């Protein structure tokens, strides 16, 4: 009958490494001082993405920018998804939270925060899509989260409602920034869209669309349109839940 005991020579399997890079130590403290850091790696990746777009970012490109071997970079960043997380958190570190200190007026504070976030998305055109696809939870993102919760504390909403409000707020700003990019990159498409919608409104088949066109006035500049839409979103997220 075979023994059920584990042979004394057998070694236990090593613990599985955490999936989140934030749960992995940046360095063990043993051996020579690392030649690079997560901060320098993220900065190199952000520079490439700003210049050429997110698709241009690869471990090979980042390693070349740092003068390192591609395989050596995996000692710092085990996989591409971790590199994206570092980039997101590097961008979140650009918020000037000191200038956004809570004033006790959530509406005014959220307006200021929304403008900083839109400026951040404009500086880094790759950022909005990445925020929506892969929300960041690194140290800088946590500081932003804590700031948002502090700004909205006077509303009396509970923590869950304020976290939901933050997701809605961030989603709006990122989607607005994406729309700006689409409009800027496709001027011909934009002009054709306006013409198409105008023709549809005049056809008589869409009376509510025709009424909206008749009362909308001239198109607002992007910043004015953003302010109006931002105010509507803030009104929605600060409202107490129905019922």
């Amino acid at each position: 009958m075979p023994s059920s005991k584990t042979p004394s020579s057998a070694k236990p399997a090593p613990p599985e490494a955490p999936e989140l890079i934030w749960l992995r130590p940046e360095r063990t403290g043993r051996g020579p001082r690392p030649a690079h850091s997560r901060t320098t790696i993220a900065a190199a990746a952000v520079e490439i993405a700003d210049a050429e777009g997110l698709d241009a970012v690869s471990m090979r490109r980042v390693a070349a920018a740092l003068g390192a071997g591609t395989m050596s970079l995996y000692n710092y960043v085990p996989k591409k998804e971790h590199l994206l997380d570092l980039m997101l958190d590097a961008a979140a570190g650009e918020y000037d939270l000191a200038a956004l200190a809570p004033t006790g007026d959530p509406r005014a504070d959220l307006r200021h925060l929304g403008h900083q976030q839109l400026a951040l998305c404009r500086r880094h055109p790759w950022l909005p899509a990445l925020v929506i696809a892969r929300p960041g939870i690194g140290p800088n993102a946590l500081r932003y989260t804590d700031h948002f919760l502090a700004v909205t504390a006077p509303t009396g909403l509970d923590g869950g409602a304020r976290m939901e409000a933050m997701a809605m707020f961030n989603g709006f700003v990122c989607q607005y920034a994406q729309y700006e990019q689409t409009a800027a990159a496709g001027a011909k498409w934009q002009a054709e869209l306006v013409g198409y919608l105008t023709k549809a409104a005049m056809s008589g088949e869409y009376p509510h669309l025709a009424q909206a066109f008749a009362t909308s006035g001239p198109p607002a500049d992007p910043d004015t349109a953003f302010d109006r839409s931002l105010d509507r979103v803030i009104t929605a997220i600060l409202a107490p839940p129905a019922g």
Side-chain angles (χ1 to χ4, degrees):
M1 181 176 178
S3 171
S4 60
K5 294 183 179 179
T6 302
S8 59
S9 60
K11 295 182 179 180
E16 186 177 356
E19 176 62 23
L20 288 177
I21 193 170
W22 312 115
L23 296 176
R24 296 170 180 246
E26 184 159 5
R27 60 176 304 208
T28 63
R30 295 173 298 188
R33 187 173 187 82
H36 307 289
S37 68
R38 289 175 180 174
T39 300
T40 58
I41 291 168
V46 167
E47 186 173 350
I48 293 169
D50 286 349
E52 303 177 46
L54 194 60
D55 288 343
V57 176
S58 67
M59 300 293 272
R60 180 183 62 79
R61 286 290 308 277
V62 174
L66 294 170
T70 301
M71 295 310 297
S72 71
L73 206 64
Y74 286 95
N75 293 325
Y76 304 89
V77 185
K79 56 183 181 179
K80 173 72 174 289
E81 289 79 8
H82 291 155
L83 181 60
L84 299 179
D85 290 340
L86 292 179
M87 293 172 66
L88 279 172
D89 207 56
E94 295 181 24
Y95 282 105
D96 185 0
L97 298 182
L100 295 170
T103 65
D105 181 348
R107 180 175 289 277
D109 291 344
L110 288 175
R111 282 198 197 102
H112 293 152
L113 185 60
H115 279 277
Q116 264 211 33
Q117 189 171 104
L118 182 61
L120 187 62
C121 290
R122 286 170 172 173
R123 281 199 303 276
H124 304 299
W126 51 270
L127 183 60
L130 191 55
V131 168
I132 292 171
R134 191 177 179 84
I137 53 171
N140 289 321
L142 288 177
R143 280 188 279 273
Y144 169 87
T145 299
D146 200 65
H147 173 81
F148 189 97
L149 293 174
V151 162
T152 53
T155 64
L157 296 173
D158 65 31
R162 282 149 60 208
M163 292 293 286
E164 291 169 357
M166 184 178 70
M168 184 184 299
F169 182 86
N170 293 345
F172 160 72
V173 177
C174 287
Q175 288 183 330
Y176 189 89
Q178 284 186 302
Y179 173 76
E180 280 192 335
Q181 293 175 23
T182 301
K188 183 174 185 292
W189 173 87
Q190 189 80 357
E192 289 180 352
L193 177 63
V194 171
Y196 169 74
L197 291 176
T198 301
K199 184 177 180 180
M202 295 174 62
S203 69
E205 295 182 49
Y206 312 99
H208 297 288
L209 179 64
Q211 194 271 341
F213 266 51
T215 58
S216 62
D221 66 85
D223 289 332
T224 300
F226 176 75
D227 283 338
R228 288 200 307 231
S229 298
L230 180 63
D231 275 340
R232 293 188 183 101
V233 170
I234 292 172
T235 295
I237 66 177
L238 296 184

